[in-house]
Amino acid sequence: MRSIWNGAISFGLVSIPIKLFNATESHSISFRQIHTEDGGRVRYRKVCELDGEELDASEIGKAYEDADGSLVPITDDDLAALPLPTAKTIEIVAFVPADSIDPLQIDTAYYLSASGVPAAKPYTLLREALKRSRKVAVAKFALRGRERLGMLRVVDDVIAMHGLLWPDEIRAPEGVAPDSAVKIRDAELDLADALMDTLGEVDVDSLHDDYREAVESLIASKAGGALPPAEAPEAKGGGKVIDLMAALEKSVRAAKEARGEETAAPAEVTELKPRKTAARKSAPAKKTATKAATKTTSAKAATKSTSKTAAAKKSAASPKASAAGAKKSTATTAKKAAKKAAPRKRASA
């Protein structure tokens, strides 16, 4: 690695010569601008607005634009003459617990290396002191023409420094949280905790940039004359209001299945339908009332018709019943008369 800054760490009266290295690198794919009609490169040229001449880097300086649009030239010598004690020094101002640093402040990361053999011992002393105290050092340093805040901590056997944003560079989160009051039930929190426990931890080294790999594959296929890959289907369910409890349960089940754990029967995730307004409810209510009235009238008519039919059947069956009764009565009368006419037997002596 190539150092980007040389200076020293000021640790009280101890000065530690160091070199500064970038701790991170970008793997994002950059593109060039082209003329879509013929594929020619589009380049930007730096031209003076007054004489229209194209300029190279040696002819370009700095200036501050005032509120009225006027430019105030500022040279490198002007900046170098400023009383900036951190111009070549990382000045440690305090040691604080690591959790006292707001992650929103953390910016670019650097590695600090001891510069030369004499710097090895004080460098190691500061490293071990940071390890034992379990604290981080807050420092001020100057880089690329401005003074910055930094946080020094130990990574393996190296002292790393994170650039920090100044507190007034952090925006307050006003108007970001939901405006409406939302009530969360304990059952929902329990399911969320279960989902967090099921997902568990992850080895960050195993994560990779899927989008960058897809772009690289696209570039390789087009460079080889192949057709671009088919478009990926759009994700379903985005932006829909769903049953939160069922969604949490399904998420927990999916996470357990991914880990090879047994799960219970699946729960259905249903989309919640928006509530109808009072105006919309009035028309269906009238329609329902009309249907109910019609149904009641039909039922009464059916009952009346059934009663008439039953009466008619009963009336039709009456002559037959009367004839059978008369026949039965005649037979009974004849039987009684025959019994009276028959002589009685006397009992023998």
Side-chain angles (χ1 to χ4, degrees), residues 155-169:
V155 177
D156 295 333
D157 289 330
V158 175
I159 297 176
M161 181 174 69
H162 297 270
L164 297 179
L165 300 174
W166 296 98
D168 61 358
E169 293 179 314

Side-chain angles (χ1 to χ4, degrees), residues 268-298:
E268 293 184 359
V269 180
T270 57
E271 181 183 351
L272 299 181
K273 296 182 178 179
R275 295 181 179 179
K276 297 181 179 178
T277 60
R280 292 181 179 178
K281 284 184 177 179
S282 59
K286 290 181 180 179
K287 189 174 181 181
T288 303
T290 303
K291 286 184 177 180
T294 304
K295 187 175 182 181
T296 303
T297 304
S298 300

Side-chain angles (χ1 to χ4, degrees), residues 186-210:
D186 290 339
E188 293 170 338
L189 280 175
D190 293 340
L191 276 173
D193 291 340
L195 178 58
M196 293 167 63
D197 293 338
T198 305
L199 290 175
E201 299 179 356
V202 65
D203 181 7
V204 179
D205 293 336
S206 66
L207 303 178
H208 57 279
D209 189 346
D210 294 324

